Amino acid sequence: MVVLDVHKIEQKYQAVNGEITALKEINFSVEKGEFISIVGPSGCGKSTLLSIIAGLLKQTSGEIFVNGEKIEGISAHIGYMLQKDNLLEWRTIYRNVIFGLEIQNNLTPENLQRVIQLLKTYELYDFKDKYPSQLSGGMRQRVALIRTLAINPDILLLDEAFSALDYQTRLTVTNDVYRILKQEQVTTLMVTHDIPEGISMGDKVVILSSRPAIVKEIIPIDFEIENRTPLNCRKSPKFSKYFDHIWKELASDE
Ligand code: ADP
């Protein structure tokens, strides 16, 4: 079932020295539960695309459909996670995690029960009364993810969500996040400049061209590994084949 359909998205910006076309004609769709990684040269329009899907930016033309319905503006169907975890330092972990539900005026007993369940399943329940400053970077990122999942979004957008973490933490966090997203069957779109990260997490990698960005190629990723995790993908002989292919595609664009 198609959850997200990006249809002929074009984005132009007015800059001082004229008009810039960031996105030219972007088309792709995402199936329920799929994890899509988007890579492309720096400045090609990856963040622009996510902002449009999140409803934070109005596209010049084209349409976004979620579950077959055209969406305009900010939608409760979409969760968005950025590089900074944006946790509120003066709130406890529990009160951070329910923050999205609070804003949506949706603190129902069922939703609160789900939050407790998420905290328990993903080893954060014992920290629920602590403050963000008392947690490690990796745990904070997990809290930010659970806060986003608490609103039960149909699609999760990740914009370079792990790039503020040091390399070691980043590997662990991507493994944890991947496990959570697959277990909860969350449909995810992740923008990253890190090709290995894109390959190790993605069911598909969408390669965007340099500006004005078009979809250059969509590569299905299949490691044929049972119990796939980002870490065990990195050890597969297929990993470097995918890497070389994507690297060449991106290099041919510079
Ligand atoms: P990426 O995330 O791939 O690095 P961005 O989506 O941030 O790329 O930006 C795409 C292009 O659009 C860049 O050339 C950038 O300079 C330009 N751009 C982004 N936002 C604006 C804006 N508000 N006004 C004018 N140009 C912009």
Side-chain angles (χ1 to χ4, degrees), residues 39-41 195 207-208 216 246-254:
V39 299
I195 305 173
I207 306 181
L208 297 183
K216 262 191 117 175
I246 296 169
W247 178 263
K248 280 193 192 118
E249 279 289 339
L250 292 176
S252 70
D253 226 348
E254 307 237 300

Side-chain angles (χ1 to χ4, degrees), residues 11-16 18 20-23 40-51 57 159-160 191 208 211:
Q11 182 63 29
K12 292 188 164 129
Y13 286 115
Q14 299 306 325
V16 217
I20 295 177
T21 304
L23 304 171
S42 168
C44 77
K46 300 182 290 298
S47 297
T48 297
L49 180 60
L50 281 203
S51 299
L57 179 68
D159 193 355
E160 301 280 3
V191 157
L208 297 183
R211 224 184 55 217

